[in-house]
Amino acid sequence: MPLSEPAAETPVLWDSLSWPELAALIEGGLDTVMLPVGATEQHGPHLPLGMDTLAALAVTHGASARTGIPVLPPISVGCSLGHTARWPGTLSLRPGTLARVVTDIAEWLHESGIRRLVMINGHVTNHAPLRCALEEIRHDFRDMRVALRSLWDLSPDIHAAYHDDAVNFHANRAETALVMAVRPDLVRLDLATDQPDRGRDAVFSYRVDQETASGVVGIPTLATVPEGEALVEGCITALVDLLDRARLERPPIDMEEPR
Amino acid sequence: MPLSEPAAETPVLWDSLSWPELAALIEGGLDTVMLPVGATEQHGPHLPLGMDTLAALAVTHGASARTGIPVLPPISVGCSLGHTARWPGTLSLRPGTLARVVTDIAEWLHESGIRRLVMINGHVTNHAPLRCALEEIRHDFRDMRVALRSLWDLSPDIHAAYHDDAVNFHANRAETALVMAVRPDLVRLDLATDQPDRGRDAVFSYRVDQETASGVVGIPTLATVPEGEALVEGCITALVDLLDRARLERPPIDMEEPR
Amino acid sequence: MPLSEPAAETPVLWDSLSWPELAALIEGGLDTVMLPVGATEQHGPHLPLGMDTLAALAVTHGASARTGIPVLPPISVGCSLGHTARWPGTLSLRPGTLARVVTDIAEWLHESGIRRLVMINGHVTNHAPLRCALEEIRHDFRDMRVALRSLWDLSPDIHAAYHDDAVNFHANRAETALVMAVRPDLVRLDLATDQPDRGRDAVFSYRVDQETASGVVGIPTLATVPEGEALVEGCITALVDLLDRARLERPPIDMEEPR
Amino acid sequence: MPLSEPAAETPVLWDSLSWPELAALIEGGLDTVMLPVGATEQHGPHLPLGMDTLAALAVTHGASARTGIPVLPPISVGCSLGHTARWPGTLSLRPGTLARVVTDIAEWLHESGIRRLVMINGHVTNHAPLRCALEEIRHDFRDMRVALRSLWDLSPDIHAAYHDDAVNFHANRAETALVMAVRPDLVRLDLATDQPDRGRDAVFSYRVDQETASGVVGIPTLATVPEGEALVEGCITALVDLLDRARLERPPIDMEEPR
Amino acid sequence: MPLSEPAAETPVLWDSLSWPELAALIEGGLDTVMLPVGATEQHGPHLPLGMDTLAALAVTHGASARTGIPVLPPISVGCSLGHTARWPGTLSLRPGTLARVVTDIAEWLHESGIRRLVMINGHVTNHAPLRCALEEIRHDFRDMRVALRSLWDLSPDIHAAYHDDAVNFHANRAETALVMAVRPDLVRLDLATDQPDRGRDAVFSYRVDQETASGVVGIPTLATVPEGEALVEGCITALVDLLDRARLERPPIDMEEPR
Amino acid sequence: MPLSEPAAETPVLWDSLSWPELAALIEGGLDTVMLPVGATEQHGPHLPLGMDTLAALAVTHGASARTGIPVLPPISVGCSLGHTARWPGTLSLRPGTLARVVTDIAEWLHESGIRRLVMINGHVTNHAPLRCALEEIRHDFRDMRVALRSLWDLSPDIHAAYHDDAVNFHANRAETALVMAVRPDLVRLDLATDQPDRGRDAVFSYRVDQETASGVVGIPTLATVPEGEALVEGCITALVDLLDRARLERPPIDMEEPR
């Protein structure tokens, strides 16, 4: 898919395509896809359980609409073992289960002719299992490239925005603003409670129930719609840039690769 | 949640709730949820890869809107090992991976206070891994009830509709009609090709690539919107009936159970 | 092995053959085997724990004697997680363990030159793990055909006989009659107790301890030797027919296959 | 089960008992069972593939007839990874699969009230996976005792008989004699070929295909029925002695144990 | 172990203690240990395969000598899947294997009375599997605290030193200097070759064979002994500080915890 | 590596080599390595927890110094499930974890060009998991030879020395003497307590906490430095002999092998 191709106007969703439509794209040079990975877990009294999936979808769909890179169906239940039964609603895969889901999917992407997989992660503790999957995929499929980016790592500015009020942020100002921008109907800002990041300098990685009583770490009451809109736009822009480079990137050392 | 409670007007999506909202529902008696399980796999030249997920979502969301029973985020990649690389687009989990995803989720549902899990399956070869998960859940969590229904098993009429043109149906008349009813924009009926069910009397369980060249088994060209609408409505009605019984059902032999 | 070959007079047991005898059979065209899968679980006060294995063996041995198709050693402990410690004697594999046993065996059958595996199942909750194994085998060994039949699925008449007194039958009239026909010494009809199938319309899949106090679901006291003999003969006849088709069956779409 | 109880005249087979019969035995003090573990693998040109299962069954059934200790259904496919496709017929579980089968079974034995498990092994390379299972069982079930004996370890005399013509014996004089004693119809002594044990002093553990072309290691042509009968009788006698001690044995350090 | 306790003069090695010595320490309040995790992988033409283990040992032993916190035996083979057969010598565990090793060990540490586990990691791609282990440990053992630090994360200065010449550093200036300080006999600086970090801005996570031909990423020829000594001392000092906080740290939200 | 090559003066440690140094050795004919496998477990009141690793290292390093065969980094935590929390300090892998560690390593050794793996085991209950690994390696890598020897199996004399005071020896005379020879600083002979081997004739394989209160089985108080020195020297000599044969050994049946 040449860079000069005019951008799609709507996201290209892998599961909305028929197989001949996908075959035609691959025939035309497509070999890159995005995999959004979210979570289903408590996000304080004011945000929906699906916040992380929602964020990963908003950003990947936005980038797909501008680049035509397809988005795979999201992984909606991630690894949220740090949460506990104190707050109902959290669902979690074991780290090994999540990694296995991704490697199983990668095997079939490879079968379909995809060679560049960009995982866009919306939840902190998904990172390690996804990275384990990355290690296995690039080892087992020598011609497969894999990238893993969490939303907050898409640019230095975005990183700063996410961590502004908390290092171990959760349902904080940035996350709240993001949902206010994309699904305002799911935010109850009147119920938001702030909690300082008491664990930011901790030696140990505590569970969330050891860090907060409300489920919040950060200052969500400061969130506004405009900053949420700016955050989403910033993420999409950064991801589009990443994808533009991804489509053409060659390895630092350029060896012939089996197709 | 008493039966007399007025039906919700929109589906209750687990991931759209905040934890206090869910806690209030559970406090109020909710102990039942639906888990839609779909697939991402080729469905002939005229239907989208996400057909099975789409169907499971249409039916569970419809039933949730009438009953207020929450719907969990769908499992969008199921077990599609019968498909192959002949048609790009199929993604599959190994049977053991799918079963593990469900048992991991069930453990957290149990933590949240859910005791009745109704799996609504939209894809034939998901059934065995989901049944394996059911076996493990009811063994490991003695007070958890699990039900597993595929869409075509929701009533005798629906079963007949699904199997009308093919026993080993795939992207057939019923499935095509269903998508025409709920997502007409994703159907290319002009590209549909019919293929008789050559494997209906086979001894062996062949892979799909051994049964069809187009990816279709059945007569999709006969599909119409009205029959699709009737099929969806029939599925929702049958599922609502099932849920009404599920919410109050006691085991055949009534033993005290741990909560 | 041509169809015209005169039927064996006794069953051909894989484990009674020496390797050169088996090699000669394969050289002569044999590429089909039967794998009987049973269970070790309570079958009420009047039937032996090994009832399901016994049934699977009676039928497969009978069919082997008439067709010369070898019978593998049975899997005698299946997946009986629905049973519990209420009744001593049940042994069970986890679903994943049972599936793994079968896929391990299949790999070696393939090494030996076998390409057609017919699993004959005598126990309801074995079906899902065996089906998972089937999915994996036909995916991993592209030229391997696998069939899975439970005894009660061998013909419509047999299905009717099994379900006559109970949908969720267990140690019922049909199973009791079957053992009376093949191992009368192991039946204590005087101890049989009837219990109606209270769970036949249940939404949820309950464990056996939630469905029966005696371990029986059905009306075993009605069982007679003649109906048991007819049932066994019916199963054997239906299986012989299935095998006759299996030996020559080609996939619906006839592609060249690697050997 | 007191030692003074008169010996059974026929073996007590776990799977031939009904659950109330087993419950009565356990009520009466039974807490010991035997698990015969065999194999399905090539045993030279003159012995059946099921030789090892056959031997384990002959000995455990014999000992059960004299002691009344029940015999579980055999594990008929063991770990035979050392064999290869050179000789058709061998079936094998991976070591981890075999270990898992045994630990799954042990969990259910424990549920049934059994506290003493005696594994009787008929195949060399089963030993390590069975020992791994033993390690896990005694760790996970603190009040469960497990013993593991291979046939050739039942007494010094038996050990000598087995290793008389080969250290790495396979289908040798002793094994051949044993089958001649218990199933003479399955021995083709005229086809037996001798091969010296060339690997007896090897540093490495070679696969069987690296040690023999015929599948034999040893001098089977020397086998006679009388020595087979003596071997079987010796094994049974030694096992009966072992069981007599097993039923009453207390740990070297006598701590209270949970039941 | 009170902070006022005089520092040990030599490292306390877990495996050099007898069980009564360890019991006495635990009786005296010890509940913290360090687990050094290294790797066995190519480190360019001038450094030993065990570089990462060596570094983790130098730093943990140094910190132990000053604090008396015991050091567990190192994990010497980590997760090095990014390396390939291009350079002989690399050994690697799969990510899931490494995680399992750590969770197995943690279970036994918990049995011994240890409640604070500090993992000190010397190899980049160990991080994700170790983090997965951390997630599982804090979930499965509610009163266990786990910390994970890579050497380069012990302080901002150390981070800067490691990344001075390369973001994707490997066998670079800092690592070379470190070995020159602690095991000069294992460095062949004359063979060192420099390679710029060509992949620092890459989208994808390439394998090492796609990033470097020599195995080096960075400018090792600049390394000196004094800077290595400073690096080691800096790491030890930072780790001692971390351990001093770790021993007394309470969770941000102070809930009663089971012991 | 030809036999005539002059012996190294110091052990060749795999992890002390750079990759070009290892590549040169392999180029020169090296295809054999030793893997020492130890344990971390209680060894009575007088010996260190790392006794078994220490012994395996002393012997393999000694043999390497005389033969130039490299020693891999040791596996320091083995399978010690027989031990319990009665004595703090024991760390254990599950049997399947230990086997997996070894098969993962073997895959990479094979990649490096190693074809002869000699495992030297210092701990009794490691044997079964290591043997399981051996089975898998020789099956999955057809041209890989694997040997497994426990220290006490290196010669009949050594076997006798180890079992002199106890069959189920643990921290006994031989083990104590061995540590007195190689690490006298780690032995507290004054604290040694003797305990006869009460379980030597037991039917069941009891856990260590069922066999000894002190953690000792045997008569360690008899140990002397000279007998320890003789034991170590005997082990090294026997291992050198084994390695000399291993380097040149061909399979009993000499088939062409893939490299």
Side-chain angles (χ1 to χ4, degrees):
Chain A
M1 183 176 295
L3 274 175
S4 56
E5 188 176 27
E9 295 180 1
T10 56
V12 179
L13 304 185
W14 181 278
D15 51 4
S16 291
L17 300 171
S18 67
W19 75 257
E21 288 168 347
L22 182 64
L25 289 176
I26 290 169
E27 192 74 16
L30 172 76
D31 72 348
T32 310
V33 294
M34 288 182 273
L35 174 61
V37 190
T40 301
E41 66 176 31
Q42 73 82 12
H43 272 82
H46 64 296
L47 290 180
L49 298 165
M51 203 253 116
D52 295 336
T53 308
L54 200 146
L57 284 177
V59 173
T60 52
H61 284 197
S64 177
R66 298 184 198 175
T67 62
I69 305 274
V71 183
L72 298 173
I75 296 179
S76 304
V77 176
C79 177
S80 300
L81 285 192
H83 291 262
T84 68
R86 180 188 293 176
W87 310 283
T90 299
L91 306 177
S92 178
L93 304 183
R94 287 268 166 178
T97 310
L98 177 53
R100 184 72 187 276
V101 166
V102 175
T103 55
D104 279 9
I105 289 174
E107 185 179 341
W108 284 85
L109 290 174
H110 193 266
E111 288 278 302
S112 283
I114 299 302
R115 292 294 177 272
R116 297 168 194 256
L117 170 61
V118 179
M119 294 191 273
I120 298 300
N121 173 39
H123 171 54
V124 172
T125 53
N126 285 345
H127 196 274
L130 296 177
R131 177 75 202 192
C132 290
L134 180 156
E135 295 292 333
E136 303 222 70
I137 296 166
R138 73 180 180 180
H139 178 77
D140 293 334
F141 301 95
R142 296 293 164 116
D143 60 347
M144 193 95 172
R145 290 170 174 86
V146 192
L148 169 58
R149 288 294 186 287
S150 293
L151 293 177
W152 43 93
D153 292 330
L154 285 169
S155 83
D157 284 354
I158 296 166
H159 192 272
Y162 263 95
H163 296 79
D164 172 60
D165 55 339
V167 172
N168 295 338
F169 68 87
H170 194 67
N172 72 336
R173 179 177 178 170
E175 294 200 320
T176 303
L178 193 151
V179 188
M180 288 166 74
V182 298
R183 285 295 302 273
D185 57 313
L186 297 181
V187 186
R188 289 289 304 272
L189 199 56
D190 55 316
L191 299 178
T193 59
D194 297 338
Q195 179 180 311
D197 181 359
R198 296 198 185 105
R200 67 189 314 151
D201 299 317
V203 173
F204 294 104
S205 296
Y206 293 99
R207 286 191 310 276
V208 182
D209 64 302
Q210 295 170 309
E211 294 199 327
T212 169
S214 66
V216 171
V217 180
I219 317 293
T221 58
L222 296 178
T224 66
V225 171
E227 85 185 56
E229 288 170 343
L231 184 59
V232 173
E233 177 59 27
C235 286
I236 293 174
T237 305
L239 179 51
V240 167
D241 176 60
L242 193 83
L243 292 168
D244 280 343
R245 290 156 52 210
R247 288 194 286 194
L248 298 179
E249 187 173 282
R250 298 201 57 82
I253 291 209
D254 218 344
M255 321 247 305
E256 65 274 32
E257 297 167 70
R259 167 94 197 191
Chain B
M1 182 177 293
L3 273 175
S4 57
E5 188 177 26
E9 294 181 4
T10 56
V12 179
L13 305 186
W14 181 278
D15 52 3
S16 291
L17 301 171
S18 67
W19 76 255
E21 287 168 348
L22 183 63
L25 288 177
I26 290 169
E27 193 74 17
L30 172 75
D31 72 349
T32 310
V33 295
M34 288 182 273
L35 174 61
V37 190
T40 301
E41 65 174 32
Q42 73 83 11
H43 272 82
H46 64 295
L47 291 180
L49 297 165
M51 204 253 116
D52 295 336
T53 308
L54 200 146
L57 284 176
V59 173
T60 51
H61 284 197
S64 178
R66 298 185 198 173
T67 62
I69 306 275
V71 184
L72 298 173
I75 297 179
S76 303
V77 176
C79 177
S80 300
L81 285 193
H83 291 262
T84 68
R86 179 188 293 175
W87 310 282
T90 298
L91 306 177
S92 178
L93 304 183
R94 288 268 165 177
T97 309
L98 177 53
R100 185 70 187 275
V101 166
V102 174
T103 55
D104 279 9
I105 289 174
E107 184 179 342
W108 284 85
L109 289 174
H110 192 266
E111 288 278 302
S112 283
I114 299 301
R115 292 293 177 272
R116 298 167 193 255
L117 170 61
V118 179
M119 295 191 272
I120 299 299
N121 173 39
H123 171 53
V124 172
T125 53
N126 285 345
H127 196 274
L130 295 178
R131 176 76 202 191
C132 290
L134 179 156
E135 295 292 333
E136 303 221 72
I137 296 166
R138 72 179 180 180
H139 179 76
D140 292 335
F141 301 96
R142 296 293 164 117
D143 60 346
M144 192 97 172
R145 291 169 174 85
V146 192
L148 168 58
R149 290 291 187 287
S150 292
L151 293 178
W152 42 94
D153 292 330
L154 284 169
S155 82
D157 284 354
I158 296 166
H159 191 272
Y162 262 95
H163 295 79
D164 171 61
D165 55 339
V167 173
N168 296 339
F169 69 87
H170 194 67
N172 72 337
R173 178 177 178 170
E175 293 200 322
T176 302
L178 193 151
V179 189
M180 288 166 73
V182 298
R183 285 295 302 272
D185 57 314
L186 297 181
V187 186
R188 287 291 305 271
L189 198 56
D190 55 317
L191 298 179
T193 59
D194 297 336
Q195 179 181 309
D197 180 0
R198 295 198 186 107
R200 67 188 314 150
D201 299 318
V203 173
F204 294 104
S205 296
Y206 293 99
R207 286 191 311 277
V208 182
D209 64 302
Q210 294 170 311
E211 293 200 328
T212 169
S214 66
V216 171
V217 179
I219 317 292
T221 58
L222 296 179
T224 65
V225 171
E227 86 186 56
E229 289 170 343
L231 184 58
V232 173
E233 176 58 28
C235 286
I236 293 173
T237 304
L239 179 52
V240 167
D241 176 61
L242 193 84
L243 293 169
D244 280 344
R245 290 157 51 210
R247 288 194 286 194
L248 298 179
E249 187 173 282
R250 297 201 58 83
I253 292 210
D254 219 345
M255 321 245 306
E256 65 273 32
E257 297 166 71
R259 168 102 197 184
Chain C
M1 182 177 294
L3 274 175
S4 56
E5 188 176 28
E9 294 180 3
T10 57
V12 179
L13 304 185
W14 181 278
D15 52 3
S16 291
L17 300 171
S18 67
W19 76 256
E21 287 167 349
L22 181 64
L25 288 176
I26 290 169
E27 192 74 19
L30 173 75
D31 71 350
T32 311
V33 294
M34 287 182 274
L35 174 61
V37 189
T40 301
E41 67 175 31
Q42 73 81 11
H43 272 82
H46 65 296
L47 291 181
L49 297 165
M51 202 253 117
D52 295 335
T53 309
L54 200 145
L57 284 176
V59 173
T60 51
H61 284 196
S64 178
R66 297 185 198 173
T67 62
I69 305 276
V71 184
L72 297 173
I75 296 179
S76 304
V77 176
C79 178
S80 300
L81 285 192
H83 291 263
T84 68
R86 180 187 294 176
W87 309 282
T90 298
L91 307 177
S92 178
L93 305 183
R94 287 266 165 179
T97 310
L98 177 53
R100 184 72 186 275
V101 165
V102 175
T103 55
D104 279 10
I105 289 174
E107 184 178 341
W108 284 84
L109 289 174
H110 192 265
E111 288 278 302
S112 283
I114 299 302
R115 293 293 178 272
R116 298 167 193 255
L117 170 61
V118 179
M119 294 191 273
I120 298 299
N121 173 39
H123 170 53
V124 173
T125 53
N126 285 345
H127 196 272
L130 296 177
R131 176 75 203 193
C132 290
L134 179 155
E135 295 291 334
E136 303 222 70
I137 297 166
R138 72 179 181 180
H139 179 76
D140 293 334
F141 301 96
R142 297 295 164 114
D143 60 345
M144 192 96 172
R145 291 170 174 85
V146 192
L148 169 59
R149 290 292 186 288
S150 293
L151 292 178
W152 42 94
D153 291 329
L154 284 169
S155 82
D157 284 355
I158 296 165
H159 191 272
Y162 263 96
H163 295 80
D164 171 61
D165 55 338
V167 173
N168 296 338
F169 69 87
H170 195 66
N172 72 336
R173 178 176 178 172
E175 294 200 321
T176 303
L178 192 152
V179 188
M180 288 166 74
V182 299
R183 284 295 302 272
D185 58 313
L186 297 181
V187 186
R188 288 290 306 271
L189 199 56
D190 55 317
L191 298 179
T193 59
D194 297 337
Q195 178 181 310
D197 181 359
R198 296 199 185 106
R200 66 190 311 152
D201 299 316
V203 173
F204 294 104
S205 295
Y206 293 100
R207 287 191 310 277
V208 183
D209 64 302
Q210 295 169 310
E211 293 200 327
T212 169
S214 67
V216 171
V217 179
I219 317 291
T221 58
L222 296 179
T224 66
V225 172
E227 87 186 55
E229 290 170 342
L231 184 58
V232 173
E233 176 59 28
C235 286
I236 294 173
T237 304
L239 179 51
V240 167
D241 176 60
L242 193 84
L243 293 168
D244 280 343
R245 290 157 52 210
R247 289 194 286 193
L248 298 179
E249 187 173 281
R250 298 202 56 83
I253 291 209
D254 219 343
M255 321 247 306
E256 67 273 34
E257 297 167 71
R259 169 100 198 185
Chain D
M1 183 177 294
L3 274 175
S4 56
E5 187 176 28
E9 295 181 2
T10 56
V12 179
L13 305 185
W14 181 278
D15 52 5
S16 291
L17 300 171
S18 67
W19 75 256
E21 288 168 347
L22 182 64
L25 289 176
I26 290 169
E27 193 74 19
L30 171 76
D31 72 348
T32 311
V33 295
M34 287 183 273
L35 173 61
V37 191
T40 302
E41 66 175 31
Q42 74 82 10
H43 272 82
H46 64 295
L47 290 180
L49 297 164
M51 203 252 117
D52 295 336
T53 308
L54 201 146
L57 284 176
V59 173
T60 51
H61 285 196
S64 178
R66 296 184 199 174
T67 62
I69 306 274
V71 184
L72 298 173
I75 297 179
S76 304
V77 176
C79 177
S80 300
L81 285 192
H83 291 262
T84 68
R86 179 187 293 176
W87 310 282
T90 298
L91 306 178
S92 178
L93 304 183
R94 288 268 167 177
T97 309
L98 177 53
R100 183 72 185 275
V101 165
V102 174
T103 55
D104 279 9
I105 289 174
E107 184 179 340
W108 284 85
L109 290 174
H110 193 265
E111 289 277 301
S112 284
I114 299 302
R115 292 294 178 271
R116 297 166 194 257
L117 170 61
V118 180
M119 295 191 273
I120 298 300
N121 173 39
H123 170 54
V124 173
T125 53
N126 285 345
H127 196 274
L130 296 177
R131 176 75 202 192
C132 290
L134 180 155
E135 294 292 334
E136 303 222 70
I137 296 166
R138 73 179 181 180
H139 179 75
D140 293 334
F141 302 96
R142 296 293 164 114
D143 59 346
M144 192 97 171
R145 291 169 173 86
V146 192
L148 168 59
R149 289 293 187 288
S150 293
L151 293 177
W152 42 93
D153 291 330
L154 285 169
S155 82
D157 284 354
I158 295 165
H159 192 272
Y162 263 95
H163 296 80
D164 171 60
D165 55 339
V167 173
N168 296 338
F169 68 86
H170 195 67
N172 72 337
R173 178 177 179 170
E175 294 200 321
T176 302
L178 192 152
V179 188
M180 288 166 74
V182 298
R183 285 294 302 272
D185 57 314
L186 296 181
V187 185
R188 289 289 306 272
L189 199 56
D190 55 317
L191 299 178
T193 60
D194 297 337
Q195 178 181 309
D197 180 359
R198 297 199 184 105
R200 67 189 313 151
D201 299 317
V203 173
F204 294 104
S205 295
Y206 293 99
R207 287 191 309 277
V208 183
D209 64 302
Q210 294 169 311
E211 293 200 328
T212 169
S214 66
V216 171
V217 180
I219 316 292
T221 58
L222 296 178
T224 66
V225 171
E227 88 187 53
E229 290 170 342
L231 184 58
V232 173
E233 177 60 27
C235 286
I236 293 173
T237 305
L239 179 51
V240 166
D241 176 60
L242 193 83
L243 292 169
D244 280 343
R245 290 157 52 212
R247 289 194 286 194
L248 298 179
E249 187 174 283
R250 298 203 54 84
I253 291 209
D254 219 344
M255 321 246 305
E256 66 274 31
E257 297 167 71
R259 169 95 197 189
Chain E
M1 183 177 295
L3 274 175
S4 56
E5 187 176 27
E9 294 181 3
T10 57
V12 179
L13 304 185
W14 181 278
D15 52 3
S16 290
L17 300 171
S18 67
W19 76 255
E21 287 167 347
L22 182 63
L25 289 176
I26 290 169
E27 192 75 17
L30 172 75
D31 71 349
T32 310
V33 294
M34 288 182 273
L35 174 61
V37 190
T40 302
E41 66 175 30
Q42 73 82 12
H43 272 81
H46 64 296
L47 291 180
L49 297 165
M51 204 253 117
D52 296 335
T53 308
L54 200 145
L57 284 176
V59 173
T60 51
H61 284 197
S64 177
R66 297 184 199 174
T67 62
I69 305 275
V71 183
L72 298 173
I75 297 179
S76 305
V77 175
C79 177
S80 300
L81 285 193
H83 291 262
T84 69
R86 181 187 292 175
W87 310 283
T90 299
L91 307 177
S92 178
L93 304 183
R94 287 267 166 179
T97 309
L98 177 53
R100 184 71 186 275
V101 165
V102 175
T103 55
D104 279 9
I105 289 174
E107 184 179 341
W108 284 84
L109 289 174
H110 192 265
E111 289 278 303
S112 282
I114 299 302
R115 294 293 178 272
R116 297 167 193 256
L117 170 61
V118 180
M119 294 191 272
I120 298 300
N121 173 39
H123 170 53
V124 172
T125 53
N126 284 346
H127 197 274
L130 295 177
R131 175 76 201 192
C132 290
L134 179 156
E135 295 291 335
E136 303 222 71
I137 296 166
R138 73 178 180 180
H139 178 77
D140 293 335
F141 301 95
R142 297 292 164 116
D143 60 346
M144 192 96 172
R145 290 170 174 85
V146 192
L148 168 59
R149 290 293 186 287
S150 292
L151 293 177
W152 43 93
D153 292 329
L154 284 169
S155 82
D157 284 354
I158 295 165
H159 191 273
Y162 263 95
H163 295 80
D164 171 61
D165 55 339
V167 173
N168 297 338
F169 68 88
H170 195 67
N172 72 336
R173 178 177 178 171
E175 293 200 320
T176 303
L178 193 151
V179 188
M180 288 166 74
V182 298
R183 285 294 302 272
D185 56 313
L186 297 181
V187 185
R188 288 290 304 272
L189 198 56
D190 55 317
L191 298 178
T193 60
D194 297 337
Q195 177 181 311
D197 181 358
R198 297 199 184 105
R200 67 189 312 152
D201 299 316
V203 173
F204 294 104
S205 295
Y206 293 100
R207 287 191 309 276
V208 182
D209 64 302
Q210 295 169 310
E211 294 199 327
T212 169
S214 67
V216 172
V217 179
I219 317 293
T221 58
L222 297 178
T224 65
V225 171
E227 86 185 55
E229 289 170 343
L231 184 59
V232 173
E233 177 59 28
C235 286
I236 292 173
T237 305
L239 178 52
V240 166
D241 176 60
L242 193 83
L243 292 169
D244 280 343
R245 290 157 52 211
R247 288 194 287 194
L248 297 179
E249 187 173 282
R250 299 203 54 85
I253 291 210
D254 218 344
M255 321 247 306
E256 65 274 32
E257 297 166 70
R259 168 102 197 182
Chain F
M1 183 177 295
L3 274 174
S4 56
E5 188 177 27
E9 294 181 3
T10 57
V12 178
L13 305 185
W14 181 279
D15 52 4
S16 291
L17 300 171
S18 68
W19 76 255
E21 287 168 347
L22 182 63
L25 288 176
I26 290 169
E27 194 74 17
L30 172 76
D31 71 349
T32 310
V33 294
M34 288 182 273
L35 173 62
V37 190
T40 301
E41 64 175 33
Q42 73 82 12
H43 272 81
H46 64 295
L47 290 180
L49 298 165
M51 203 254 118
D52 296 335
T53 308
L54 201 146
L57 284 176
V59 173
T60 52
H61 285 196
S64 177
R66 297 184 198 175
T67 62
I69 305 275
V71 184
L72 297 173
I75 296 179
S76 304
V77 176
C79 177
S80 300
L81 286 192
H83 291 263
T84 68
R86 180 188 292 175
W87 311 283
T90 298
L91 306 178
S92 178
L93 304 183
R94 287 267 164 178
T97 309
L98 177 54
R100 183 72 186 276
V101 165
V102 175
T103 55
D104 279 10
I105 289 174
E107 184 179 340
W108 284 84
L109 289 174
H110 193 265
E111 288 278 302
S112 283
I114 299 302
R115 293 293 178 271
R116 298 166 193 257
L117 170 61
V118 179
M119 295 190 273
I120 299 300
N121 174 39
H123 171 54
V124 172
T125 52
N126 285 345
H127 196 274
L130 296 177
R131 176 75 202 192
C132 290
L134 179 155
E135 295 291 335
E136 303 222 71
I137 296 166
R138 72 179 180 179
H139 178 77
D140 293 334
F141 302 95
R142 297 293 164 117
D143 60 346
M144 193 98 173
R145 292 169 173 86
V146 191
L148 168 60
R149 290 291 187 287
S150 293
L151 292 177
W152 42 94
D153 292 329
L154 284 169
S155 82
D157 283 355
I158 296 166
H159 191 273
Y162 263 95
H163 296 80
D164 171 61
D165 54 339
V167 173
N168 296 338
F169 68 87
H170 194 68
N172 72 335
R173 177 177 179 171
E175 294 200 320
T176 302
L178 192 151
V179 188
M180 289 167 73
V182 299
R183 285 294 303 273
D185 57 314
L186 297 182
V187 185
R188 288 290 306 272
L189 199 56
D190 55 317
L191 299 179
T193 59
D194 297 337
Q195 178 181 310
D197 180 0
R198 296 198 185 105
R200 67 189 313 151
D201 299 317
V203 173
F204 294 103
S205 294
Y206 293 99
R207 287 192 308 278
V208 183
D209 64 301
Q210 295 170 310
E211 293 199 328
T212 168
S214 67
V216 171
V217 180
I219 316 292
T221 58
L222 296 179
T224 65
V225 171
E227 87 186 54
E229 289 170 342
L231 184 58
V232 173
E233 177 58 27
C235 286
I236 293 172
T237 304
L239 178 52
V240 166
D241 176 60
L242 193 83
L243 293 168
D244 280 344
R245 291 156 51 210
R247 289 195 284 194
L248 298 179
E249 187 174 282
R250 297 204 55 85
I253 291 208
D254 219 343
M255 320 247 306
E256 67 273 32
E257 296 169 70
R259 169 99 197 184

